[in-house]
Amino acid sequence: MRRALAALAVAAALTAGPGAAAAEAAPQAGRSLVASLHGRDVVGHPGDPDGTGRARITVNTAQRQVCYRLDASRIDAATQAHVHRGRAGENGALVVTLKAPQRGRATGCVGVSRETARDLLRQPNLFYVDVHTRQYRAGALRGQLH
């Protein structure tokens, strides 16, 4: 009986083709967007003049999830970080809350609506990432996604 079951499993794997088991086990990776963050790009208030950073946002519509890596340097301790809807030069509504970078880095995944995920992928340049500190409450760093 065990041999028959084992033979059936092998036959199923061979018929399915290479990589079929891996495709079932691995979630879809999604598509990555990036932003270079600078204090000079904060809108409406001065940002940290020498602060810089980078954001990589991976959007997975099927899983309704945004995963991110956020790096910031030459700023005081970050207190908040977000993705906002807004063109370059405009402030906009908050759409995703991220962890504030601690010791310069934050990573994680956040659930989002399917609509938000689709909007991010369709027109990433209509969204930006910002990082806040106590001194720069309106934003220390900002960068448009692309």
Side-chain angles (χ1 to χ4, degrees):
M1 180 71 150
R2 283 188 213 162
R3 285 186 189 174
L5 289 174
L8 284 172
V10 169
L14 290 173
T15 339
E24 288 178 17
Q28 293 179 354
R31 188 172 123 210
S32 290
L33 308 170
V34 295
S36 295
L37 309 176
H38 301 280
R40 68 177 178 260
D41 294 330
V42 174
V43 175
H45 302 278
D48 191 315
D50 63 346
T52 63
R54 181 169 168 85
R56 177 174 297 278
I57 308 290
T58 304
V59 182
N60 187 315
T61 306
Q63 292 184 355
R64 296 181 188 170
Q65 188 176 58
V66 168
C67 293
Y68 59 92
R69 177 179 167 163
L70 185 56
D71 295 296
S73 60
R74 297 192 304 239
I75 64 169
D76 292 338
T79 56
Q80 298 178 37
H82 311 103
V83 176
H84 291 261
R85 183 182 306 268
R87 298 177 187 278
E90 298 177 356
N91 287 321
L94 186 153
V95 294
V96 182
T97 299
L98 311 173
K99 291 181 204 169
Q102 301 302 308
R103 290 188 280 276
R105 177 167 297 157
T107 60
C109 293
V110 179
V112 296
S113 71
R114 189 168 299 219
E115 180 183 5
T116 297
R118 285 182 182 155
D119 288 349
L120 279 161
L121 292 176
R122 284 182 185 143
Q123 294 187 299
N125 61 319
L126 298 182
F127 294 87
Y128 63 93
V129 175
D130 67 351
V131 176
H132 305 263
T133 65
R134 278 182 202 230
Q135 182 179 357
Y136 297 99
R137 293 175 194 259
L141 302 174
R142 174 184 167 143
Q144 292 297 126
L145 288 167
H146 57 88

